[in-house]
Amino acid sequence: MNHPASLPAVYVLLTVAATVVQFLKSSNLPYTNYNNYIIFRNAFYHLLQGQDMYILHLVEQYDLYKYSPTFALLMGPFAVLPNFIGLLGWNALNAAALYWAVQQLPTIDTRARRVVLWLSAIELLTSMQNAQSNGLVAGLIIGAAVALERARPGRAALWLLLSVFVKLFGLVAFVLFWLYPRQRVRFVLWSVGLGIVLALLPLVVVSPAELLAQYQSWVVMLKADHSASFGLSVMGWLETWFGFLPPKTAVVLVGAALFCLPLLRFQQYQHAAFRTGMLAAVLLWVVVFNHKAESPTFVIAVAGVGLWWSLQPSRRWPDLVLLCSVVLFTVLSPTDLFPRFLRKAYVVPYVLKAVPCIFVWARLTVELLTRDFAPQPASASKIPATAAPAASLSV
């Protein structure tokens, strides 16, 4: 399985298997087993028909549509296809986006890219089994980092904006542009221009009044959706382990402050490893500080774990223990490879799926605050040549 060709084959196999199994399991259910895809598909038609996308449509689907009007429009190419073909295409897009983005990342070497993709594979399967968009979001965020490394701020802005119009927490990833001083102005201009275009894109099928009503309904739904749940997050960990119920906003603000502190290390911006670490921190942060985080979301965080592991110059045992805990509790605990009685008794009640990623994020934050990421002479040859132009950036 170490042959380079085995990795894309595995991603193709997982995509097809997830689609076929979920499609076949839906034959005798009142709702399909790929309900999330049905929600996305129906949102396209609700938009076209002038229906409120953000209320329950229980005759057609279970649960609410929670994404943007723009995303509903962009689901059109899948929605017009038969369900099986559309679902297969949707899952393939998620798998391909993650695979392509990681393979293109110039700040890590080929071996590290393979580690990230192998580590993310089972979590990607979990996401595709739920017809979720998390593989796509992870790919868009990493793809934006690729574009910034290659001095293409317009493309980076597009990928990040698309991630936001899929899931709002993509906004956190906009912090990455700050690491590229020479691209800041162009990135901001591209972001403003493309943001307006994408926000207004549904006007090709609806009137301005209808689009405004959809946005207003979206805001109302998001406010109502801010439930008491703490999810698989820092908040859930504090509640289940320590009985501590802090305000969500306070926890997020503390997490945001810690997340932003490494940005004060201006002289580290020039080092590819530091920029990779910040990308890993983004991928971890948007999950572990998300009070609505659920199991399929963790493909994003696990990709961040893989990037963190690629930065370790020596495999010290505490880091190895952390990585193994991610594999055991985050990646394998939702699968049949993990004992069911342990999952019910410990993993679910104590949010153990999230805890290793929280610890990796804490470990990575300390490294970003204290470590000198300048290439060492013994390992300088391992830095990809394609990373050299971006590494010469100065503040």
Side-chain angles (χ1 to χ4, degrees), residues 321-334:
V321 168
L322 271 180
L323 181 66
C324 290
S325 67
V326 169
V327 173
L328 179 62
F329 293 111
T330 302
V331 176
L332 295 181
S333 67

Side-chain angles (χ1 to χ4, degrees), residues 23-286:
F23 192 82
L24 294 178
K25 286 173 65 177
S26 299
S27 57
N28 297 317
L29 297 174
Y31 298 108
T32 70
N33 220 45
Y34 47 94
N35 184 68
N36 286 311
Y37 171 75
I38 295 299
I39 291 174
F40 303 155
R41 176 186 181 275
N42 288 345
F44 171 71
Y45 290 107
H46 294 158
L47 179 68
L48 291 184
Q49 297 162 5
Q51 299 182 57
D52 189 342
M53 296 187 294
Y54 301 103
I55 61 173
L56 286 170
H57 298 270
L58 292 178
V59 174
E60 305 170 51
Q61 65 199 41
Y62 175 73
D63 210 351
L64 291 162
Y65 175 73
K66 301 176 183 179
Y67 300 161
S68 70
T70 301
F71 178 69
L73 177 66
L74 295 177
M75 282 298 298
F78 301 101
V80 298
L81 298 172
N83 279 353
F84 177 77
I85 302 301
L87 177 62
L88 179 62
W90 171 244
N91 282 336
L93 175 63
N94 277 263
L98 178 60
Y99 184 88
W100 171 85
V102 173
Q103 288 285 43
Q104 295 296 312
L105 190 61
T107 58
I108 58 176
D109 60 25
T110 300
R111 182 178 181 182
R113 294 183 197 121
R114 291 175 188 165
V115 169
V116 174
L117 289 169
W118 280 116
L119 191 61
S120 304
I122 294 179
E123 283 295 336
L124 176 65
L125 176 62
T126 300
S127 181
M128 291 191 297
Q129 285 176 327
N130 291 271
Q132 275 284 11
S133 58
N134 300 300
L136 174 60
V137 172
L140 288 169
I141 293 174
I142 298 170
V146 172
L148 288 168
E149 287 292 326
R150 295 177 175 173
R152 295 173 180 170
R155 187 171 299 182
L158 177 61
W159 296 154
L160 288 180
L161 285 165
L162 286 173
S163 77
V164 172
F165 280 100
V166 177
K167 288 195 171 182
L168 287 175
F169 59 59
L171 283 168
V172 176
F174 272 79
V175 74
L176 294 173
F177 91 96
W178 196 253
L179 302 174
Y180 304 83
R182 297 177 185 174
Q183 301 181 54
R184 288 174 187 168
V185 174
R186 286 183 295 157
F187 178 87
V188 170
L189 292 175
W190 275 110
S191 296
V192 172
L194 290 172
I196 293 172
V197 170
L198 288 172
L200 299 180
L201 193 60
L203 288 176
V204 301
V205 296
V206 300
S207 69
E210 289 174 323
L211 181 58
L212 178 61
Q214 294 286 8
Y215 275 112
Q216 289 173 334
S217 183
W218 187 27
V219 171
V220 171
M221 184 276 298
L222 289 175
K223 289 180 178 178
D225 193 54
H226 196 270
S227 66
S229 171
F230 288 111
L232 299 174
S233 66
V234 170
M235 290 77 84
W237 172 56
L238 293 174
E239 179 191 25
T240 57
W241 283 41
F242 308 105
F244 182 41
L245 302 175
K248 296 175 187 177
T249 303
V251 175
V252 170
L253 288 176
V254 171
L258 292 172
F259 172 75
C260 290
L261 278 178
L263 295 175
L264 298 176
R265 303 187 71 198
F266 303 116
Q267 295 304 317
Q268 294 294 319
Y269 289 12
Q270 63 186 305
H271 303 312
F274 180 80
R275 299 193 301 275
T276 303
M278 287 302 301
L279 172 60
V282 167
L283 295 170
L284 284 158
W285 198 97
V286 298

